């Protein structure tokens, strides 16, 4: 599945959770940490779309699909910069200012 963004609820420990956090938290006046470079590109889908994908996959005729199954769910590919600019268009510079860059070793290795 693509990363489900923006996930409802509180921030979680999932490595991909920051994709939701940098949108959800600033919208409610909270700070969000950005642990990757802004040029990072990732594949996303909304929670509603993901439910639709899974319901559709569950109704596929297994005989037609065959025994070797791999289903790639649709999504959109965006950079963190594109996410932040979308937030700016919707909520303004104040919301964007709540995103704090703090690179994490979790995402960088040698």
């Amino acid at each position: 599945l693509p990363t489900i963004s923006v996930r409802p609820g509180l921030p979680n420990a999932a490595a991909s959770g920051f994709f939701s956090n940098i949108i959800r938290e600033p919208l409610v006046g909270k700070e969000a940490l950005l642990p990757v470079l802004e040029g990072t590109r990732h594949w996303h889908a909304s929670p509603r779309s993901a439910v639709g994908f899974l319901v559709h996959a569950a109704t596929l005729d297994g005989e037609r699909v065959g025994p070797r199954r791999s289903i790639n769910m649709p999504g959109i590919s965006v950079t963190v910069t594109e996410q932040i600019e979308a937030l700016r268009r919707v909520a303004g510079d104040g919301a964007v200012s709540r995103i704090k860059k703090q690179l994490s070793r979790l995402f960088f290795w040698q």
Side-chain angles (χ1 to χ4, degrees), residues 6 11 16 27 31-32 43-44 50 58 61 66 68-69 72 84 88 92 97-98 100 106:
V6 170
S16 62
L27 285 172
E31 185 176 286
W43 175 44
H44 301 263
D61 180 354
R68 296 184 66 175
R69 300 173 189 171
N72 193 11
I84 292 170
R88 186 184 318 278
S97 72
R98 294 183 189 104
K100 306 301 180 197
L106 177 65

Side-chain angles (χ1 to χ4, degrees), residues 54-74:
L54 294 172
V55 169
H56 177 72
T59 63
L60 292 174
D61 180 354
E63 294 296 319
R64 292 187 69 201
V65 175
R68 296 184 66 175
R69 300 173 189 171
S70 176
I71 300 173
N72 193 11
M73 303 298 178

Side-chain angles (χ1 to χ4, degrees), residues 2 4-5 12 14-15 18 28 30 37 50 58 61 63-64 72-73 81 83 95 105-106 108 110:
I4 308 307
S5 182
N12 63 44
F18 75 88
V28 295
K30 295 181 182 176
L37 298 172
D61 180 354
E63 294 296 319
R64 292 187 69 201
N72 193 11
M73 303 298 178
T81 296
Q83 280 190 272
R105 290 180 158 210
L106 177 65
F108 300 94
Q110 295 177 342

